[in-house]
Amino acid sequence: MSFAPSVCPHDCPSTCALEVEVLSPTRIGRVRGAEANSYTAGVICAKVARYAERIHHPKRLLKPLLRTGPKGSGQFREIGWEEALERIAERFAEIAARHGSEAIWPYYFAGTMGLVQRDGINRLRHALRYSRQQNTICTSITEAGWLAGVGKHLGPDPREMALSDLIVIWGGNPVNTQVNVMTHIARARKQRGAKLVVVDPYRTGTARQADMHLALRPGTDAALACAVMHVLLRDGMADRDWMARWTDFDAEVEAHLARCSPAWAASITGLSVREIEDFAALYGRTERAYIRLGYGFSRSRGGAAAFHAVTCLPSIGGKWRYEGAGALWNLRAAYHWDKTLIEGLDLRDPRTRIMDMSRIGAVLTGNPADLQGGPPVMALLIQNVNPVDVAPHSNLVRRGFLREDLFTVVHEQFMTATARHADIVLPATMFLEHDDLYQAGGHPHIQIGRKLIEPPGECRSNHAVICELARRLGASHPGFEMTEMELIDATLKASGWPGAEEVIARRWIDVQPDFRTSHFLDGFGHPDGRFRFRPDWRALGPLGDRLPPLPAHYEGIDAPTAEYPFRLVAAPARQFLNTSFTETPSSLAREGRPTALIHRADAERLGIVEGGRVRLSNARGEVLLWAHIVDGGQQPGTVVVESIWPGEYFPGGVGINALTSDDPAPPMGGAVFHDTAVAMEAVASSLALAAE
């Protein structure tokens, strides 16, 4: 028995450096964080520490399957790989000949964050001119909000949080989603007496550890940020020298913010004037104030405007000057990848249509605007994602997947809801069973995860499947002829980094830019080097004209109405990662069951009791689940469902995304999972049991 280095592949900004106990050529034991890595620092989340449960799960898919029953029934028979691949290639060729190549849509996302296994599907797409994919389901809203002001995806070293005197976690819950953030916060609190402020609509695990929790109404973050700027300007805590040198701040911006008083913000956010004033004073008088921005912003129609407004705070306060201060969202620009070989970028035809992945329901049900004048989607090749449960407006998504004329291939590890709707299911490897290359969003390390054990049954990697299909379909590109490690080595060198052998020997490469670059002390990412209080939203996306020209609350959120008076937040559960880990026994046991967190005042008014069933509904559908009554930490009118539980775990068999909208958020699209107005009512036990 020995521990071997590896990298967590899951969709979390931490991308933890791991050490995995290899028990035999086919089995692992314990998984722990690498203590020598300055960001992971020996700490990983509990679900990955229990990874042996997942990789050796008795319900893993082990052989290719062919559908024998109705779509969605889960009725399949085993077939061999050769038959599976030949069937797929034959149908794809037939569909392309009859409807055009754009009738085939390879669909993927971040079930693995490894660059080879995640992004290689694009090489097949580009080589055969299949429809392209706009990746909106996770980060496009926050990407736009950050670029609007800052102009490039960099920021202060995340390890600087340990040197901060104030850390603001805004729009994120790292206790659930990136536990290493809490490691560095704990150091700052212990060694410096740092304060922790959490801005979040409900009392998360992170908020429970905070010195100050600002439980605002969902989607009102920009109003709070503008009020804080108002106080900084009003009370002489603004850094006017910094603003004059490095921003476009002027009298018009100041006059606008003068109208954004704490009383104005209180009426929008539901916070008290005192809460807003106290937070603004704490932020204003603390030089080393570090804002760690989360992905919650990327789930709201107004998320880009709110995100931009929050990034204005360190520019008003001049916090970028100081170590342990400023703001950080994502370090992706530090890696400057050349993914030509992995993605086949040299074959990309910009004339092929690009469809919004968050609108998959509308695409599959033939909405003309989403099809953009092209053919209907007649075939899907799906890797690394479970859209039947995860995509918004899931009732519409399911209707699309039930089309008899749609040929669907799903390459998966478990029989997910999406796999149950497939015509052919292919068994996939997990991260310890193949080679891959990793970057992080929340820290600055390049890492390689090597194959440590043999896969069970007949599981094959994404890369292997893509290359086999390319050969049968006549697609040509050097990447199809390379091994995973050859692609990794060539990509590293093409991107200006050491080759694979050196990265493996060193364990990781730290790519954090120097202090001046990370803190924008020589200018931001715009041509004039200035931070933008006036975003050019139109340059960022086709819906940019919907957003306000200055930092402001966006009124276009799904506001409560008399018919749908509650605001639903579908936040990440601690033991799951989207629908990954929902098959792991210990994760299921710890999460319990799908639950709505309901303020006691709302529960008493509606006759909802602890543990009772409730129905949430809107025009898109309805969901049954269980009630948990809370006495504080969220405002009346806010309902929180930590998910994503697969639909089968809900009393009515329908998951939470039946309620969420697939409306594209401005300026460049994005799924608005936390921006949902719903009705809520108690359900009599007999009715709920009948639904079960």
Side-chain angles (χ1 to χ4, degrees):
M1 294 186 294
S2 61
F3 280 88
S6 190
V7 190
C8 180
H10 287 283
D11 188 9
C12 161
S14 291
T15 315
C16 292
L18 302 179
E19 294 173 349
V20 179
E21 186 180 27
V22 179
L23 302 178
S24 77
T26 59
R27 295 198 68 83
I28 67 163
R30 294 168 292 170
V31 180
R32 64 192 187 194
E35 291 188 9
N37 184 277
S38 58
Y39 188 76
T40 300
V43 178
I44 59 171
C45 67
K47 52 186 173 283
V48 173
R50 302 189 302 267
Y51 215 86
E53 274 188 83
R54 188 168 194 271
I55 202 164
H56 302 308
H57 197 290
K59 291 187 178 180
R60 275 192 70 176
L61 295 172
L62 300 178
K63 294 186 177 182
L65 302 172
L66 177 69
R67 179 170 65 90
T68 59
K71 287 202 170 188
S73 67
Q75 297 174 28
F76 296 92
R77 68 174 175 87
E78 294 179 0
I79 58 175
W81 267 102
E82 287 301 310
E83 180 183 352
L85 292 168
E86 289 296 337
R87 282 178 177 269
I88 296 166
E90 181 180 328
R91 287 295 301 274
F92 279 17
E94 176 187 306
I95 288 167
R98 183 175 179 183
H99 299 279
S101 62
E102 290 179 310
I104 300 167
W105 195 21
Y107 190 92
Y108 79 109
F109 204 58
T112 177
M113 295 295 281
L115 304 188
V116 173
Q117 308 294 351
R118 182 189 67 191
D119 300 332
I121 194 172
N122 290 321
R123 189 166 65 255
L124 188 71
R125 182 197 314 276
H126 298 322
L128 295 169
R129 296 190 71 257
Y130 294 157
S131 284
R132 293 182 290 153
Q133 176 177 299
Q134 183 185 3
N135 292 336
T136 59
I137 205 163
C138 187
T139 68
S140 59
I141 299 171
T142 43
E143 179 180 345
W146 182 267
L147 291 176
V150 176
K152 59 182 175 182
H153 290 308
L154 286 178
D157 191 324
R159 294 163 293 194
E160 287 184 29
M161 285 185 289
L163 305 174
S164 302
D165 295 318
L166 169 65
I167 298 129
V168 182
I169 301 296
W170 202 323
N173 179 15
V175 163
N176 279 21
T177 61
Q178 43 178 320
V179 67
N180 307 94
V181 169
M182 302 307 296
T183 299
H184 300 283
I185 290 172
R187 288 177 178 172
R189 299 179 88 176
K190 182 177 180 179
Q191 297 171 9
R192 302 181 61 85
K195 299 296 184 183
L196 173 62
V197 175
V198 173
V199 184
D200 200 289
Y202 78 111
R203 185 175 290 146
T204 64
T206 309
R208 283 193 287 271
Q209 298 186 31
D211 299 287
M212 179 186 295
H213 173 210
L214 299 172
L216 73 181
R217 292 173 181 143
T220 63
D221 305 76
L224 173 59
C226 288
V228 172
M229 289 188 273
H230 171 100
V231 173
L232 298 184
L233 291 164
R234 182 197 69 193
D235 294 352
M237 292 184 285
D239 190 332
R240 293 186 178 273
D241 290 340
W242 172 267
M243 288 192 291
R245 176 65 182 89
W246 289 116
T247 80
D248 65 353
F249 186 87
D250 61 13
E252 182 185 7
V253 178
E254 183 153 13
H256 164 71
L257 292 172
R259 297 188 288 272
C260 300
S261 68
W264 164 83
S267 69
I268 295 171
T269 63
L271 299 171
S272 69
V273 171
R274 174 50 54 198
E275 286 177 298
I276 296 170
E277 291 274 6
D278 287 349
F279 173 49
L282 176 62
Y283 183 79
R285 66 173 181 258
T286 306
E287 283 187 351
R288 294 190 176 207
Y290 194 113
I291 300 176
R292 189 68 173 87
L293 290 152
Y295 289 77
F297 289 92
S298 206
R299 312 287 185 259
S300 172
R301 291 168 178 81
F307 206 74
H308 168 256
V310 176
T311 66
C312 292
L313 294 180
S315 293
I316 286 267
K319 309 299 186 186
W320 302 108
R321 296 176 185 265
Y322 308 111
E323 188 176 35
L328 175 66
W329 173 56
N330 192 293
L331 292 168
R332 63 176 59 162
Y335 296 92
H336 51 75
W337 294 117
D338 180 342
K339 293 199 285 184
T340 300
L341 276 171
I342 291 175
E343 296 198 40
L345 299 177
D346 48 338
L347 300 179
R348 181 174 52 188
D349 184 347
R351 295 171 297 179
T352 56
R353 66 181 173 187
I354 180 166
M355 296 185 294
D356 185 342
M357 69 176 303
S358 299
R359 299 274 299 167
I360 186 172
V363 168
L364 295 184
T365 54
N367 183 54
D370 290 280
L371 295 177
Q372 304 166 34
V377 170
M378 303 301 296
L380 291 167
L381 172 61
I382 297 176
Q383 290 183 326
N384 309 323
V385 68
N386 178 19
V388 171
D389 276 329
V390 172
H393 202 345
S394 63
N395 285 338
L396 186 65
V397 175
R398 193 173 294 105
R399 191 194 318 164
F401 271 87
L402 288 171
R403 279 174 39 204
E404 283 299 328
D405 63 344
L406 177 68
F407 179 63
T408 302
V409 179
V410 175
H411 189 197
E412 251 297 356
Q413 298 161 347
F414 293 95
M415 186 56 72
T416 63
T418 304
R420 283 197 299 273
H421 287 76
D423 295 284
I424 293 179
V425 179
L426 304 174
T429 52
M430 293 189 184
F431 76 105
L432 298 174
E433 300 160 357
H434 56 237
D435 296 324
D436 217 335
L437 172 64
Y438 299 91
Q439 71 172 64
H443 68 79
H445 292 118
I446 294 171
Q447 301 178 81
I448 292 174
R450 297 197 300 177
K451 178 180 176 179
L452 298 183
I453 60 173
E454 294 299 320
E458 299 178 18
C459 295
R460 295 189 186 181
S461 72
N462 291 356
H463 175 66
V465 169
I466 292 301
C467 292
E468 286 288 343
L469 288 176
R471 181 171 64 83
R472 286 168 171 79
L473 290 163
S476 178
H477 189 270
F480 295 129
E481 309 302 322
M482 302 170 74
T483 67
E484 294 155 348
M485 194 58 73
E486 287 169 342
L487 274 175
I488 291 168
D489 184 64
T491 298
L492 283 164
K493 291 173 179 174
S495 305
W497 302 116
E501 185 177 353
E502 182 175 343
V503 174
I504 290 169
R506 293 169 59 178
R507 292 281 307 272
W508 43 75
I509 304 291
D510 191 334
V511 302
Q512 180 71 41
D514 62 76
F515 181 86
R516 294 191 64 83
T517 302
S518 299
H519 284 255
F520 309 108
L521 300 185
D522 295 315
F524 292 87
H526 300 290
D528 62 0
R530 291 176 178 269
F531 179 90
R532 296 279 192 266
F533 283 91
R534 288 186 181 79
D536 185 357
W537 293 117
R538 290 180 180 85
L540 290 168
L543 306 177
D545 57 358
R546 299 183 186 179
L547 294 175
L550 294 172
H553 171 63
Y554 177 67
E555 298 288 348
I557 61 175
D558 195 10
T561 64
E563 187 175 9
Y564 304 119
F566 295 92
R567 291 271 290 163
L568 169 67
V569 174
R574 183 169 187 173
Q575 305 298 332
F576 303 153
L577 206 167
N578 296 321
T579 54
S580 294
F581 298 95
T582 58
E583 68 289 318
T584 306
S586 58
S587 291
L588 289 169
R590 285 169 170 80
E591 286 299 325
R593 60 189 182 182
T595 301
L597 308 183
I598 303 166
H599 194 283
R600 183 169 296 279
D602 294 327
E604 290 177 351
R605 181 168 51 84
L606 296 174
I608 295 170
V609 299
E610 176 67 26
R613 274 82 167 181
V614 296
R615 178 184 288 110
L616 304 180
S617 63
N618 58 21
R620 287 175 288 276
E622 65 176 47
V623 173
L624 298 174
L625 64 171
W626 289 269
H628 176 55
I629 299 171
V630 298
D631 289 309
Q634 67 193 59
Q635 296 190 31
T638 298
V639 180
V640 179
V641 177
E642 292 187 333
S643 228
I644 303 171
W645 286 89
E648 64 200 74
Y649 288 97
F650 289 76
V654 177
I656 198 65
N657 281 324
L659 305 175
T660 58
S661 172
D662 61 357
D663 289 351
M668 55 193 290
V672 293
F673 295 110
H674 300 177
D675 191 357
T676 307
V678 297
M680 179 169 62
E681 60 181 335
V683 177
S685 295
S686 59
L687 293 178
L689 289 170
E692 291 184 75

